[in-house]
Amino acid sequence: MITSLSNKTVKEIAALSQKGKERQKKNVFVVEGVKMFLEAPEERICGIYVAQSAENEMLQVCREKLENLSYELVSDEVFAKMSDTVTPQGILCLVRQLNYDLAFLLKKSIKNHPLYIILEDIQDPGNLGTIFRTAEAAGVNGMALTQLDEIGYFAHSLGFLLTGLIRNVRFFFLFDRLMPMGKIPNQTFCVMTSVSPLRVRTTPTQLFR
């Protein structure tokens, strides 16, 4: 059982919970709570931590999943250090991020009249979660997101929203937001934009080239 606040693992998880750059560097994000732990794909979980006072409860409500995966027991004080919630439920896990790019998505869906969404500067994790859920229901093939430090991609709150959907909606980050249309092969695409034509005098294709 981990009891020291100065433990290396504790410090690393606390940093993952609080810093978007650390999540990108380690290629993992933190998911907390029973519901999201149960929804997280087992093959992508790379660490499970349970608070000492919550162990018996977690062994009951998450029994089937915890039987297949090992977990680390930590003191309540240590768990509070690692957690990013005000009232933690006593269980959190580290989940590996999935990394796609435009070439991969096009290769998988170019022959099936694909539908893609490009999101620019979405700053609210709640809004992004709603868009992901709507995109899944609409059968969207992939989503591109501009890289924003403000939203802290894969932050705790975003992990809550997307853990269960991340397998169904493939997405990637745009480091160059002018790139997508220039990379699409010579195929017929219909480009739609939410930008008012009264404000933009260029064609949609020119917006991306």
Side-chain angles (χ1 to χ4, degrees), residues 193-205:
T193 174
S194 62
V195 179
S196 170
L198 297 177
R199 297 173 56 192
V200 180
R201 296 181 179 180
T202 55
T203 64
T205 300

Side-chain angles (χ1 to χ4, degrees), residues 90-194:
I91 189 168
L92 65 79
C93 64
L94 305 182
V95 180
R96 284 190 297 273
Q97 299 181 25
L98 294 179
N99 295 305
Y100 300 108
D101 57 27
L102 181 60
F104 175 86
L105 297 181
L106 289 173
K107 182 179 179 181
K108 289 292 184 182
S109 57
I110 194 68
K111 297 180 181 180
N112 301 317
H113 304 290
L115 174 61
Y116 301 103
I117 296 178
I118 300 173
L119 302 177
E120 181 181 15
D121 297 359
I122 302 296
Q123 300 187 41
D124 186 280
N127 290 342
L128 185 58
T130 299
I131 293 171
F132 262 85
R133 294 181 186 278
T134 304
E136 181 192 36
V140 168
N141 296 93
M143 300 177 67
L145 300 85
T146 55
Q147 194 82 352
L148 269 187
D149 291 337
E150 288 87 347
I151 196 169
Y153 290 124
F154 293 106
H156 165 74
S157 54
L158 186 55
F160 256 55
L161 293 166
L162 300 185
T163 301
L165 300 179
I166 216 101
R167 292 167 288 183
N168 305 321
V169 181
R170 293 166 175 165
F171 69 96
F172 66 99
F173 295 117
L174 284 176
F175 293 94
D176 177 6
R177 67 189 64 193
L178 301 180
M179 173 270 290
M181 294 303 294
K183 295 292 185 179
I184 291 177
N186 188 22
Q187 299 284 341
T188 300
F189 275 81
C190 176
V191 180
M192 294 176 286
T193 174
S194 62

